[in-house]
Amino acid sequence: MKIFGLRNISYSYKGRTALENVSFDIHQGESISILGANGSGKSTLLYMLQGLLKPSSGELAAFEKEASGIIDPRISMLFQNSQAQLFCLSVWDELVSGPLQRGLGAAAASQRAEDIMQLLAIGHLKDRSPWQLSGGEMKKVALGTCLSTNPDVFLLDEPTAGLDPRSQVEFMELIAGLRKAGKTIITATHDLHIIQDLSERAIVLGEDHRLLEDDLPANVLAKKDVLLKANLIHEHMHAHVGYKHEHSHFGAHDHNEIKQEPSAFKEEQMDAKLKVLLEHWMEHNEEHAKTYLEWAEKARKEGNAALAGILEKIAKESGNLTRLFEQAKGKL
Ligand SMILES: Nc1ncnc2c1ncn2[C@@H]1O[C@H](COP(=O)(O)OP(=O)(O)OP(=O)(O)O)[C@@H](O)[C@H]1O
Ligand SMILES: [Mg+2]
């Protein structure tokens, strides 16, 4: 079943373009990442799918009917700003109010709220005011309210922003479960390193608010020109004394393309240049070692102790390399 059909959709906020001539279809059970730089139109697109905004031009169909502009209970949205969707006096009230409004009896609504608190590990927040929670706690409660009505379609606006590493892993597990249950999930995110696990399709919005790419996540990640154009990765320059190099970043670290190898340096500059390079390599080496440890921690939490052990070994070996770099510097 086609859940959404967009034909030449544009949207402007009082003359300020937010989306320009966007067309694509979304089918039941798909999990799709929406990527794009700040201001490219991701949230606007989700508001439109939710029925909060009507396109300025173009045709939008939801559940194979022309979108009515009325919020459909089969669709639930996690807002980028969690405060926008939390309005009850306690977390418990937030979690039971949706089911009660949808006509569930008090006992069934309570049971659902209990289940969600357990699923999201937020039971300890039950009696707290949603307004006095931390950003990550608020996001979990907001996600809980989305889950509480058991919708068919989830629109998630930056769901992992502000979540600690363990909560991010738990969120990914939750999404995996929802996908298995046949839910349709559309997620706006900047987190390029999660999109392959999160989705089977990635849609990229350009800074001109047009659709730039609609492809498998792996293919999108491989198109560095597209990612650079969409401002999803950045080419940044390290200006060290006497030489520079550039590398792109996505997710963790994509490797240095050193533009000038030591052999290209003039003979008399050899010592100074090599010293700079050794310092630079060492700096990245330490940075990488930290990343290996972070991933080791994630792997351990996911129960993959074997992988965690290997990653920890790599981190340790990286530490040994740092000592070798120091020794090399001492010989100059
Ligand atoms: N309420 C509003 N009134 C006027 N302009 C708006 C409003 N909301 C968003 N815009 C503008 O519309 C464009 C798209 O904004 P949108 O929030 O959809 O971007 P986004 O891709 O979600 O960005 P971010 O990554 O920062 O969340 C931006 O230029 C933004 O300034
Ligand atoms: Mg946004």
Side-chain angles (χ1 to χ4, degrees):
M1 182 190 189
K2 199 197 281 185
I3 302 283
F4 295 112
L6 289 78
R7 291 287 161 275
N8 309 112
I9 294 286
S10 296
Y11 187 84
S12 304
Y13 293 94
K14 292 186 185 145
R16 184 184 290 119
T17 302
L19 281 177
E20 184 75 30
N21 205 26
V22 171
S23 302
F24 59 85
D25 292 331
I26 295 176
H27 290 90
Q28 188 173 6
E30 277 193 291
S31 185
I32 302 177
S33 297
I34 308 284
L35 308 173
N38 293 137
S40 56
K42 304 179 296 297
S43 296
T44 304
L45 177 62
L46 295 186
Y47 294 147
M48 219 171 287
L49 300 180
Q50 166 76 341
L52 289 169
L53 295 177
K54 275 186 114 177
S56 306
S57 63
E59 289 160 31
L60 172 62
F63 297 99
E64 296 179 343
K65 289 199 185 103
E66 193 188 334
S68 61
I70 295 169
I71 293 173
D72 192 307
R74 288 170 288 184
I75 306 171
S76 190
M77 177 155 172
L78 177 75
F79 285 74
Q80 187 166 2
N81 171 9
S82 308
Q83 284 189 350
Q85 69 190 114
L86 300 175
F87 45 83
C88 294
L89 290 175
S90 72
V91 168
W92 174 257
D93 290 350
E94 290 289 356
L95 297 177
V96 290
S97 65
L100 287 174
Q101 275 169 24
R102 299 276 194 285
L104 241 71
S110 295
Q111 187 55 54
R112 189 166 290 176
E114 290 288 355
D115 292 346
I116 287 168
M117 285 194 304
Q118 199 183 355
L119 183 70
L120 298 175
I122 53 172
H124 59 296
L125 305 175
K126 183 177 176 181
D127 299 318
R128 299 269 305 274
S129 158
W131 290 82
Q132 290 168 358
L133 300 177
S134 74
E137 289 169 342
M138 235 184 246
K139 183 141 279 184
K140 289 181 199 174
V141 174
L143 181 59
T145 66
C146 294
L147 291 165
S148 72
T149 55
N150 191 22
D152 297 324
V153 181
F154 287 85
L155 306 173
L156 307 175
D157 201 348
E158 313 267 2
T160 53
L163 293 187
D164 60 39
R166 188 187 59 211
S167 303
Q168 288 198 19
V169 169
E170 287 166 358
F171 168 79
M172 295 300 286
E173 284 166 1
L174 175 71
I175 294 294
L178 293 174
R179 289 175 74 182
K180 260 194 204 146
K183 306 287 183 185
T184 306
I185 305 163
I186 302 149
T187 310
T189 183
H190 289 114
D191 248 344
L192 293 184
H193 71 275
I194 64 171
I195 66 169
Q196 279 179 284
D197 287 338
L198 183 71
S199 54
E200 67 255 5
R201 189 175 157 199
I203 287 175
V204 184
L205 293 176
E207 290 192 286
D208 59 358
H209 315 286
R210 291 171 183 271
L211 194 144
L212 195 60
E213 207 53 59
D214 181 351
D215 204 341
L216 297 172
N219 291 349
V220 168
L221 290 175
K223 291 178 194 166
K224 294 218 174 127
D225 52 333
V226 171
L227 298 178
L228 278 166
K229 190 172 173 211
N231 201 13
L232 287 163
I233 55 173
H234 64 282
E235 203 95 61
H236 76 181
M237 312 285 279
H238 285 290
H240 292 276
V241 193
Y243 91 102
K244 63 186 181 187
H245 85 270
E246 52 192 5
H247 56 211
S248 51
H249 279 218
F250 73 87
H253 221 83
D254 187 26
H255 251 274
N256 351 355
E257 302 129 34
I258 293 186
K259 297 292 178 196
Q260 270 181 293
E261 290 298 334
S263 57
F265 298 139
K266 284 191 187 131
E267 195 72 30
E268 66 270 22
Q269 293 177 319
M270 172 77 184
D271 281 6
K273 300 292 180 192
L274 184 57
K275 182 167 177 283
V276 170
L277 277 178
L278 284 166
E279 278 170 0
H280 175 77
W281 290 331
M282 201 159 70
E283 180 192 312
H284 279 287
N285 187 43
E286 286 164 4
E287 202 181 306
H288 290 169
K290 275 189 212 148
T291 308
Y292 304 138
L293 284 177
E294 279 166 23
W295 281 102
E297 199 186 331
K298 281 185 196 172
R300 213 168 273 291
K301 279 181 186 145
E302 282 188 341
N304 193 342
L307 175 63
I310 295 168
L311 288 169
E312 280 159 2
K313 249 190 208 161
I314 296 174
K316 197 162 160 232
E317 290 301 327
S318 300
N320 291 339
L321 274 179
T322 300
R323 277 190 291 283
L324 288 174
F325 285 129
E326 281 291 3
Q327 278 177 24
K329 259 171 60 187
K331 299 287 176 208
L332 287 171

